[in-house]
Amino acid sequence: MSAFEQGRVQSGDDGLANTVAEKLRWMIPAAGAMAYPFLLDAFHLAVSPAAGPMSFGRLVLAALCLLAATAAPLPGLACAYRMTMAEPSSFELRARRLAYVSIAAPPLFVLTGVGLGLLHIPVSDELVWVAGWAAACLYVLLGSEQERPAGSAAIAPSIAKWRVTHGVAAAIILLYVAFHLTNHLLGWLGPEVHAAVMKTGRTVYRSSLVEPILVGLMLFQVAVGMRLAWRWSALPADAYRVFQIGSGIYLAAFILTHLNSALVSARAVHHIDTNWAWASGAPTGLIHDAWSIRLVPQYALGVFFVLAHLASGLRGVLIAHGVATTVANRIWVTGLAAGGLVAIAIMSGLCGARI
């Protein structure tokens, strides 16, 4: 019996109050997503030179705000894991899927800002952001506590072929991802080294033959990944599957946002070279620019989740081929740790760290 059913069997106003409180509790990930832009605003105010010399208190405040913004996916992951009941009601399934979407708050906020700019809509992106999440919460809250979505608890139709196709496409894309991440790590040696390696790489991945295929594979991964996530999000899942779904949703939003920013906004509309200066927010930098600070959590979590999602997929393949679960789990944890270290290293380089 779910928490909502338990609330309904209680009598009088207490049961109603408990049910309402329980519903609102599942809105915490969405509330965290709504607060995300304001954490970035607080960070910018704390590090702004206009506020005077940097004090220890402001430094601590800035660190806490940036840490909280970077931890934005955690409430969504936790909520999605707690809502893995076998037969979700309409409300429960909507709330779980909203929790999954909240994991992708960092790239979705970038997409909101870039999209409004491309459309020349003179409205605050924060206003649009809060209104959008409020509308999503209203949609979830209007879900019935009694109706069961048809087939929600049934075993999903076979999607093995889509999983295999998703994995094969990922293996091809991994070649580009490995080069791209390595190139960013070389930023520690300076923008000149990064530019030289990127120039060589672009002769391949920006060729008239390879680039359309690469972009097409990226969009294909997003489409298939969302199909898989939609199916799996309606079924009971352990913590490993919840993380795999959540990291995949983040990557889908990240890919769409990055393609929109790089291919559409930068290259097609504004004719900007997407080089180190573009990625690092030169000349102001990512840290001190009020708009560009949103790129720090987005980039950092993008690097982490791409490696962590690959580790999740590898774990499933290893277990399916007879590798002991404990061994596969250790490899998965190692992949997550490596993803975190690579993310920190790349973002440090983009923010000015050098060897």
Side-chain angles (χ1 to χ4, degrees), residues 11 19 62 68 89 144 174 183 189 206 233 257 324-325:
S11 60
T19 302
S89 67
S144 170
L174 181 59
N183 192 24
L189 301 177
R206 279 204 180 180
S233 64
T257 298
T325 301

Side-chain angles (χ1 to χ4, degrees), residues 81-94:
Y81 174 65
R82 292 196 62 190
M83 297 192 72
T84 55
M85 59 286 296
E87 292 188 69
S89 67
S90 174
F91 165 77
E92 290 163 343
L93 184 56
R94 290 182 184 186

Side-chain angles (χ1 to χ4, degrees), residues 4 6-22 145:
F4 307 106
Q6 292 173 1
R8 284 194 297 271
V9 300
Q10 298 181 33
S11 60
D13 295 338
D14 288 343
L16 177 61
N18 288 340
T19 302
V20 172
E22 189 70 15
E145 298 174 24

